[in-house]
Amino acid sequence: MIQSVDRAVRILTALQGARRMGLGELATQLELAPSTVHGIVRTLLDHGMIAQERDSGRYRLGPATLRLGNVYLDTLELRSRSVPWAEDLAARTGMAVRTAVPLAGSDRDVPEREIIVVAHEPRPGGGRQMNEVGIVVPAHACALGKALLAFDDTAFPEADTLRSMTGETVTDLARLRAELAAVRAAGIATEAEEAVLGEYGVAAPVGDHSGAVAGAIGLVVPQTGWPLDPAATDALRAAARSISRELGAASWPPVITERPAASA
């Protein structure tokens, strides 16, 4: 690991979580000398990766991070392949559709895996809606994340305790494993007010040419629509299967990636 690059990424990650931080706050959080942090900050400023507020002197993420994010989305095949299917799924069900992938390189201070929404199809005729591309959610707390965890055992949380987003979040590891086993059997994951109160969700995994899970697509279900109509679940399953086929998957659901056995 190159130390200076690692420190720069940790600064960007800290600003992602706190939005705005002073030099002293960054130094304290990273447990580094202010002079060390200042040198890295100046370099990131020169490249537009962070910006400094004139009135407070505090730092925040800069416009160059948005440009990199847009390039990432434009080159993500799962996103481009899912768009027409998500549009059709939203039209068929009357619900918003999210597509997500695992968030690689999560903050080392976060013990569990996270997912990031890379595409959002608003519910038809729903009026003004917030674009949810870019939101990050703990994988164990949402249907999209469970659909990913169920088919990738290497991503199963290793922490003793998991974050509780609401009073309904599944934080017990044994209960989570049992739920993921059911997801593997059905190919469908669910959530009931586990990430956001009043919000329900159903998701299905999407595989790629390697046979492994590449992401997930899901419906945002209103409270009045829960439990979900089986026809909507079937439409979701069909969309996930079709996207997987376009990504080169030979079968659906994806192949389960298992954690390597510990050596003796």
Side-chain angles (χ1 to χ4, degrees):
M1 181 179 293
I2 299 176
Q3 188 179 68
S4 59
V5 176
D6 176 62
R7 289 173 174 176
V9 172
R10 290 173 63 195
I11 288 174
L12 294 173
T13 303
L15 292 175
Q16 171 192 314
R19 305 295 185 181
R20 293 170 173 80
M21 298 180 74
L23 184 65
E25 293 174 299
L26 284 168
T28 299
Q29 180 160 328
L30 273 64
E31 298 181 344
L32 295 172
S35 58
T36 300
V37 175
H38 182 261
I40 300 172
V41 163
R42 293 305 310 176
T43 302
L44 292 172
L45 276 169
D46 289 343
H47 288 281
M49 298 299 291
I50 64 175
Q52 187 175 25
E53 298 178 338
R54 291 186 178 182
D55 53 349
S56 68
R58 294 162 72 86
Y59 299 98
R60 56 180 171 78
L61 293 179
T65 58
L66 176 61
R67 183 170 64 246
L68 290 177
N70 286 333
V71 171
Y72 166 71
L73 292 176
D74 288 343
T75 58
L76 190 63
E77 187 177 9
L78 172 61
R79 172 184 162 91
S80 61
R81 296 286 187 181
S82 68
V83 168
W85 295 104
E87 291 176 348
D88 179 72
L89 187 58
R92 286 174 178 268
T93 63
M95 301 174 195
V97 181
R98 296 171 180 158
T99 304
V101 297
L103 181 60
S106 295
D107 188 341
R108 68 189 66 190
D109 296 326
V110 178
E112 66 273 326
R113 295 300 179 97
E114 297 173 315
I115 59 96
I116 182 168
V117 175
V118 296
H120 172 226
E121 181 63 31
R123 66 183 181 277
R128 185 178 179 85
Q129 299 175 59
M130 182 181 71
N131 188 329
E132 297 179 343
V133 172
I135 65 170
V136 175
V137 186
H140 67 276
C142 63
L144 289 165
K146 292 176 187 178
L148 291 166
L149 292 176
F151 293 90
D152 185 2
D153 194 51
T154 65
F156 189 83
E158 297 181 352
D160 294 330
T161 58
L162 300 173
R163 275 185 288 173
S164 179
M165 306 296 287
T166 72
E168 301 300 321
T169 309
V170 176
T171 58
D172 179 76
L173 293 180
R175 180 181 168 190
L176 180 60
R177 279 200 178 278
E179 188 169 335
L180 297 183
V183 174
R184 293 189 189 104
I188 292 291
T190 62
E191 64 174 291
E193 300 187 292
E194 295 179 51
V196 178
L197 290 175
E199 183 175 289
Y200 298 73
V202 179
V206 174
D208 62 13
H209 61 88
S210 70
V213 63
I217 184 170
L219 295 168
V220 182
V221 186
Q223 192 169 23
T224 54
W226 192 259
L228 189 63
D229 187 318
T233 302
D234 290 342
L236 171 64
R237 188 182 282 110
R241 184 182 293 110
S242 297
I243 298 169
S244 299
R245 187 183 304 115
E246 290 193 9
L247 290 173
S251 62
W252 187 92
V255 176
I256 299 172
T257 303
E258 297 183 350
R259 190 184 301 273
S263 57

